[in-house]
Amino acid sequence: MRAAELDLDLDVFAGPFDLLMAVVLREEIPLSEVSLGDIVVAYLEHLEATGELDLDSATEFLVLIASLLELKSRLLLPTEDEEQIELGPEEAADELLARMLEYRRYREAAAHLSGLFADGRRYLYRAAPLPPELRRASLEAASHVYDPTRLGEALGDLLRVPPEPDTSHIRPTVSLERRLEVLRELLTRRGRFDFDEVFADEDRLTQAVTLFALLEMHKRGEATWTQKDLFGPIEVEVQ
Amino acid sequence: MTVLERTVEALLFLSPQPVSTAELAQACDASEAEVDRALDALEGHLLEGSRGIVLRQVAGGYTLAADPVAEDAARRLLSTPRTPPLTQAQAETLAIVSYLQPVSRPEIARIRGVASESAVATLTERGLIEESGRSRFGAMVYRTTQLFEKLFGLSGLDQLPDPSRFDPTPEDERELRERLLKAGEQRAS
Amino acid sequence: MTVLERTVEALLFLSPQPVSTAELAQACDASEAEVDRALDALEGHLLEGSRGIVLRQVAGGYTLAADPVAEDAARRLLSTPRTPPLTQAQAETLAIVSYLQPVSRPEIARIRGVASESAVATLTERGLIEESGRSRFGAMVYRTTQLFEKLFGLSGLDQLPDPSRFDPTPEDERELRERLLKAGEQRAS
């Protein structure tokens, strides 16, 4: 795409870049009101969106924006020695007069409007919602506008039960610390106990961790156990 | 009319809500007794049948209202039948009320799995559903209106489409209400 | 009051916007001439200074307003702050828009000789002017709103005085020109 076709949406102008140039040069829009920064941003956004840097079009853009910049800086910082189109004193006075009269006209109109406003704002208006009966369709005037199928479909949506959440990925966590606490508490209270009697209803993970905790306690000399028969009951007691 | 009577009339005219004697007295910098006398005088001026505006005493104070004589004309001038497309929340709420009526607001919320105050309020305001007493637990219960039937082109509630047409689990034979509640609770959990 | 007068009063009471004679006639199922007579009678009943409510002809229609006698009491009751007056920049910008609409911001800036972004923005925010598309050169153009006419008590834009009324007399204009010429000569010499 040529830089001149770049689409702009500025406060004072919307359209392609080359039209903006034409409009500025014909002084339809004062350059002082055009944000050149916004144009550069628009161009960069365009480059980013298309993802390609076409050297020719980039050069063209730089030339155009540079000329606008120069023009704008000259407007904003008028220099003493710049050559002006010389107006005769009569023409200059006439031009100045016309502009002054035009401004004066609207300044006077503004004073008139201010007077109207000062008077008008003494009147307060009611701002209340309409009574409920006027806010709904009347029964006589009501016509068939809704499809009952919509209600059936909504009901069907409400009957749909979401699938049971899949919990297989959630693992119960059993903490060794907690099992140690449980064992110590049991031994303090009872002195000795039958492992199966106490832990048979726990899940396998808990049983395994509890057994591990028991090994740990044995190592620390806190507890010991006896098992008279293979697969027989395990008696745990304080060591 | 005295300045106080005129001021009271203007205040009632401007206020969208009823205004109490105390509020009027404070705003007018007058005593409540003076305001009461002004209201009496105003009532005489706005006697029903004499003007287009009437003075009403309602809960919370006094308010001005349009005389009922203008109701038809007001409808022609101002009523814009509010029948915009239903949102999903409104359609669900209306489906629950139309199939299960009478149904309480807590039940609607349980079935939908979310609070439904705003949908209920909008449907009530548009005249599609209305309050029809209270359940034995004291909750307000709702039913559909004649306007509902007209807007949906139904000659009666038995004309509602057969729910089994839209049933995703037709093998479940429990009562519709029970199944909706169960599905809602599962959704909410 | 006749039924038509009462109905017209009720409609103006209810309607949030000014209502035109044609709209009133249609709503009341009456001729415009009948409505005009009813409005005349209503105006007599609501003559400023007699009641708390007055009849105003604004923004292409009729509307009821509170009598200014109640303004202070109303601001206390409704806690509505007084709308701030227009600044000089806002008033000038509004004057240009009201006479030249639709008009672009660059044009406003050209006449006023200074950029007018902030005045245009404030007037837009206050709802007095609004965007009304773009000029053929792509500049945003502005026009006044109904609210502008309502708040300024104008029944229509044709109620604005002819701007030439604000122009100086030919003698004053000649004198101004002389002074400009002299000033120019002094600078040149």
Side-chain angles (χ1 to χ4, degrees):
Chain A
M1 191 193 80
R2 293 180 50 233
E5 288 161 9
L6 178 68
D7 249 333
L8 296 172
D9 187 6
L10 310 175
D11 279 354
V12 291
F13 173 86
F17 190 22
D18 62 348
L19 178 59
L20 174 70
M21 290 290 290
V23 164
V24 164
L25 294 177
R26 281 155 62 192
E27 298 189 332
E28 304 281 2
I29 288 185
L31 192 50
S32 57
E33 289 234 354
V34 177
S35 162
L36 298 183
D38 286 351
I39 298 177
V40 174
V41 168
Y43 185 66
L44 291 176
E45 274 171 358
H46 163 74
L47 282 186
E48 202 157 298
T50 54
E52 58 184 54
L53 180 63
D54 168 7
L55 265 187
D56 281 345
S57 110
T59 311
E60 182 195 359
F61 177 78
L62 282 175
V63 170
L64 291 176
I65 198 80
S67 59
L68 280 183
L69 264 174
E70 190 195 339
L71 206 55
K72 189 166 179 176
S73 62
R74 252 195 290 171
L75 283 173
L76 293 177
L77 308 164
T79 47
E80 289 288 324
D81 54 6
E82 188 172 350
E83 270 184 62
Q84 299 268 356
I85 306 160
E86 280 297 329
L87 287 178
E90 296 263 334
E91 287 166 299
D94 282 342
E95 163 133 12
L96 202 50
L97 183 65
R99 291 199 58 174
M100 281 177 67
L101 289 179
E102 189 180 28
Y103 170 65
R104 188 195 143 106
R105 169 182 282 195
Y106 292 105
R107 197 190 59 202
E108 296 297 317
H112 178 73
L113 283 183
S114 293
L116 288 183
F117 187 61
D119 184 54
R121 71 186 173 137
R122 297 181 306 129
Y123 293 90
L124 298 176
Y125 296 92
R126 188 177 141 84
L130 290 176
E133 64 271 17
L134 288 177
R135 273 180 284 164
R136 62 174 67 150
S138 77
L139 192 57
E140 309 83 69
S143 58
H144 182 179
V145 290
Y146 293 128
D147 181 3
T149 315
R150 182 82 199 279
L151 298 177
E153 284 166 355
L155 201 73
D157 290 343
L158 291 167
L159 281 170
R160 203 160 280 124
V161 174
E164 285 285 333
D166 180 7
T167 56
S168 61
H169 58 287
I170 303 171
R171 292 193 174 279
T173 54
V174 183
S175 101
L176 183 64
E177 289 301 312
R178 178 83 195 104
R179 298 325 288 169
L180 282 168
E181 272 175 44
V182 169
L183 289 170
R184 285 182 185 132
E185 203 262 331
L186 270 170
L187 287 172
T188 322
R189 197 149 43 83
R190 291 163 57 171
R192 58 186 297 139
F193 63 88
D194 182 330
F195 188 90
D196 282 339
E197 187 195 314
V198 179
F199 297 113
D201 288 335
E202 301 285 358
D203 60 77
R204 289 209 340 248
L205 180 65
T206 308
Q207 286 186 7
V209 177
T210 311
L211 216 49
F212 188 73
L214 206 53
L215 285 171
E216 185 69 19
M217 288 176 76
H218 180 68
K219 200 171 82 187
R220 296 184 193 176
E222 289 181 53
T224 186
W225 65 86
T226 50
Q227 186 177 29
K228 292 193 177 114
D229 311 307
L230 196 62
F231 303 118
I234 303 171
E235 286 286 325
V236 182
E237 56 185 318
V238 181
Q239 201 172 12
Chain B
M1 278 173 88
T2 66
V3 168
L4 182 60
E5 285 161 31
R6 290 168 57 204
T7 307
V8 166
E9 186 179 47
L11 294 183
L12 296 181
F13 165 76
L14 289 173
S15 173
Q17 268 103 40
V19 193
S20 70
T21 315
E23 290 169 315
L24 287 170
Q26 199 181 4
C28 297
D29 205 8
S31 73
E32 292 196 28
E34 288 170 321
V35 167
D36 273 333
R37 276 197 297 280
L39 282 165
D40 279 346
L42 189 58
E43 192 162 25
H45 284 292
L46 298 178
L47 222 50
E48 190 147 349
S50 66
R51 311 269 321 194
I53 301 171
V54 294
L55 179 68
R56 291 258 157 82
Q57 188 175 6
V58 293
Y62 292 85
T63 188
L64 295 184
D67 190 289
V69 76
E71 193 174 333
D72 288 342
R75 206 178 282 292
R76 280 192 289 272
L77 179 69
L78 300 167
S79 126
T80 38
R82 300 269 303 135
T83 53
L86 298 173
T87 65
Q88 181 64 14
Q90 289 159 4
E92 286 181 8
T93 305
L94 196 54
I96 294 166
V97 176
S98 57
Y99 281 97
L100 301 186
Q101 56 190 304
V103 62
S104 71
R105 198 149 60 179
E107 264 183 315
I108 298 171
R110 270 168 68 198
I111 293 171
R112 291 196 54 228
V114 288
S116 304
E117 277 88 352
S118 128
V120 168
T122 307
L123 293 171
T124 308
E125 175 166 322
R126 296 204 192 138
L128 289 165
I129 63 174
E130 64 189 2
E131 297 175 349
S132 73
R134 293 192 176 267
S135 74
R136 62 205 161 95
F137 303 113
M140 188 61 74
V141 295
Y142 293 87
R143 65 174 172 218
T144 53
T145 60
Q146 271 199 292
L147 182 62
F148 161 79
E149 290 174 29
K150 202 143 177 212
L151 290 175
F152 277 85
L154 304 166
S155 57
L157 290 173
D158 52 350
Q159 301 281 300
L160 281 169
D162 183 354
S164 65
R165 269 174 55 203
F166 306 97
D167 193 345
T169 48
E171 63 283 355
D172 196 336
E173 283 177 4
R174 281 173 304 165
E175 203 211 334
L176 188 60
R177 182 182 221 102
E178 199 185 316
R179 291 180 49 209
L180 282 168
L181 282 168
K182 188 155 188 295
E185 266 145 36
Q186 267 168 280
R187 256 194 310 277
S189 67
Chain C
M1 277 173 87
T2 65
V3 168
L4 183 60
E5 286 161 31
R6 290 168 56 204
T7 307
V8 166
E9 187 178 42
L11 293 182
L12 298 183
F13 171 77
L14 288 171
S15 174
Q17 305 295 338
V19 194
S20 70
T21 315
E23 289 169 316
L24 287 170
Q26 200 179 10
C28 299
D29 206 7
S31 72
E32 292 196 29
E34 288 169 320
V35 168
D36 274 333
R37 277 197 296 278
L39 283 164
D40 280 345
L42 189 59
E43 191 163 25
H45 285 291
L46 299 178
L47 220 53
E48 191 150 342
S50 64
R51 310 269 318 194
I53 302 171
V54 296
L55 181 67
R56 305 260 295 159
Q57 191 179 355
V58 290
Y62 292 85
T63 189
L64 299 180
D67 190 292
V69 76
E71 190 189 347
D72 291 341
R75 295 200 189 282
R76 277 194 292 273
L77 179 70
L78 305 169
S79 33
T80 44
R82 211 148 194 244
T83 35
L86 298 175
T87 65
Q88 182 65 20
Q90 288 163 10
E92 285 178 12
T93 302
L94 193 56
I96 293 167
V97 175
S98 59
Y99 279 104
L100 299 184
Q101 57 188 304
V103 61
S104 70
R105 205 163 60 187
E107 179 69 3
I108 300 169
R110 189 189 64 74
I111 294 173
R112 293 194 55 229
V114 288
S116 304
E117 281 93 343
S118 117
V120 166
T122 311
L123 291 170
T124 308
E125 206 172 293
R126 290 177 80 163
L128 297 174
I129 63 172
E130 64 189 2
E131 295 177 350
S132 76
R134 290 187 180 270
S135 76
R136 65 204 161 95
F137 302 114
M140 182 64 73
V141 293
Y142 293 85
R143 65 172 172 221
T144 53
T145 61
Q146 272 223 317
L147 183 64
F148 160 73
E149 294 173 35
K150 191 169 163 181
L151 294 184
F152 285 70
L154 298 164
S155 63
L157 290 172
D158 53 357
Q159 295 284 300
L160 287 170
D162 187 334
S164 64
R165 194 184 112 177
F166 305 119
D167 288 346
T169 61
E171 296 82 63
D172 286 348
E173 192 177 324
R174 231 185 341 265
E175 196 191 322
L176 197 57
R177 187 169 183 274
E178 295 293 315
R179 291 215 322 260
L180 283 171
L181 264 176
K182 217 176 275 168
E185 277 157 17
Q186 274 172 355
R187 218 181 15 228
S189 62

